[in-house]
Amino acid sequence: MRGPTVRHPGEFRWEVRLLVAIAVVLTVFGIISLYDATSIRERGFLVAVKQLAIGLVGGIIMVTLSRVDYRRLRSLAWPVLGVTLVLLLITVLPLSLTGAIAGSRNGARRWIDIGAFTIQPGEVAKFAIVLWCAALAAKKGVLVRGFKKGVLPFLVVIGTVCLLIVRQPNLSMAVIVALLGATVLFTAGAKIGHFILLGLATGLVALQLILLSGYRRARLDTFIGGGTEDGARQINESLIAIGSGGLFGAGLGEGKAKLAHVPYAASDFLFSSIGEEWGFIGVLAVVFLFGTFGWIGYRIAKTAPDPFGRFLAAGLTTAVMLTAVLHMAVTLKLMPTTGLTLPFMSAGGSSLALNLAAVGVLASIGRMRGRPERR
């Protein structure tokens, strides 16, 4: 005899629909803001057109992944990690070998140019580490609580990826990748003592890298108030732009930050431009959208059908939320400048495409929940 069916939180499909809707709204809002921030440049509108094209392709990827069983991704964890390591190696090999496709920009080699496409391996690494850690943590189960057979294999792989990213150099991206790996391990039940020790060690290494690097140390000096006037100009202009927006903003197209007052207003400091033109209301709307995205993402993680889905959803949600929070913190001078983009919104094809792909995977995990069960 059948018992009554149990209503699982996953039965409420509004979560998945709202998650996708938020990603679409942020993407469209980002393209509008991006067009405005680049329209003063010669052929600057092409940046927005390219972002729109990538957004459409990313949307197709998102819809496709949302309809595919996310558990199929588990078998791709190692291949994706392998491809990521190859991409990262291309950016750190001598210029004589890979300089034709991975040249230096502003003193760093963070991009690979393949024809009309530009790939940022650091963005790929975020997705790859989350996928690989989720697959391995699900396989290990309770063994993840140990160090030698549990945490150590993760440290070797995550450390290798982070080392290659630091060599680009891109310390902020390396820190994010390390934190994403830690997020998956924490979700999988790793011991808190391991996190404390590893966190202290990582912090000391990061501080050493900052102190030994001229431009990183200059950013830290600027943050604590002892930097040069030129070094402080960008962040001060960012604060002025946000403050001048008032409650309702100067209006679309009326902002001054894009007039070279705030360099990288279309990418690293897009939140400043939004604050100036859309005001406190616009800033609040963006924060609310990201906050709702995180709430839904973690709800999906909590109610995922299996450990792999739970770890994967937690990692992907954290990847979006952590990057967004750090981007906003930089523009508000709550932390040193890092060069991180605002997910879904800032210029950057790799970031937009991979974030939309992450939404598709989250939607797949959410869609697989909530099947009526029998007692």
Side-chain angles (χ1 to χ4, degrees), residues 33-34 36-37 238 241-242 251 255 257-258 262 265-266 269-279 331:
S33 300
L34 187 59
D36 179 46
S238 171
I242 295 175
K258 60 190 177 184
V262 178
F269 284 85
L270 182 65
F271 194 67
S272 303
S273 181
I274 293 173
E276 183 182 24
E277 298 196 352
W278 297 87
T331 61

Side-chain angles (χ1 to χ4, degrees), residues 297-308:
Y298 289 124
R299 275 179 60 91
I300 290 175
K302 184 178 180 180
T303 57
D306 63 348
F308 174 63

Side-chain angles (χ1 to χ4, degrees), residues 250-261:
L252 183 63
E254 301 299 322
K256 307 301 181 185
K258 60 190 177 184
L259 302 174
H261 294 294

Side-chain angles (χ1 to χ4, degrees), residues 7-21:
R7 295 199 72 185
H8 190 279
E11 287 187 65
F12 300 100
R13 302 301 182 192
W14 62 268
E15 290 180 355
V16 173
R17 297 190 185 102
L18 182 57
L19 187 79
V20 173

Side-chain angles (χ1 to χ4, degrees), residues 49-111:
V49 172
K50 181 179 179 181
Q51 191 81 347
L52 175 60
I54 294 173
L56 293 174
V57 174
I60 295 174
I61 296 173
M62 177 180 68
V63 173
T64 302
L65 288 175
S66 70
R67 297 179 179 278
V68 173
D69 188 341
Y70 69 91
R71 286 170 288 216
R72 295 185 180 181
L73 296 175
R74 191 167 177 173
S75 62
L76 298 177
W78 280 102
V80 170
L81 178 64
V83 171
T84 302
L85 289 172
V86 170
L87 293 176
L88 290 171
L89 280 172
I90 290 175
T91 63
V92 300
L93 288 174
L95 284 169
S96 59
L97 296 177
T98 59
I101 60 174
S104 178
R105 302 183 190 178
N106 298 323
R109 300 176 63 194
R110 303 175 183 176
W111 300 270

Side-chain angles (χ1 to χ4, degrees), residues 22 39 43 49 73 98 103 165 180 220 241 294 299 310-311 362:
I22 289 173
S39 60
R43 303 180 67 186
V49 172
L73 296 175
T98 59
I165 296 175
L180 292 178
L220 180 61
R299 275 179 60 91
R310 183 165 64 254
F311 306 153
L362 285 170

Side-chain angles (χ1 to χ4, degrees), residues 87 91 110-114 117-122 124 350 354:
L87 293 176
T91 63
R110 303 175 183 176
W111 300 270
I112 298 175
D113 297 311
I114 303 177
F117 300 96
T118 300
I119 301 173
Q120 187 174 358
V124 180
S350 298
L354 288 167

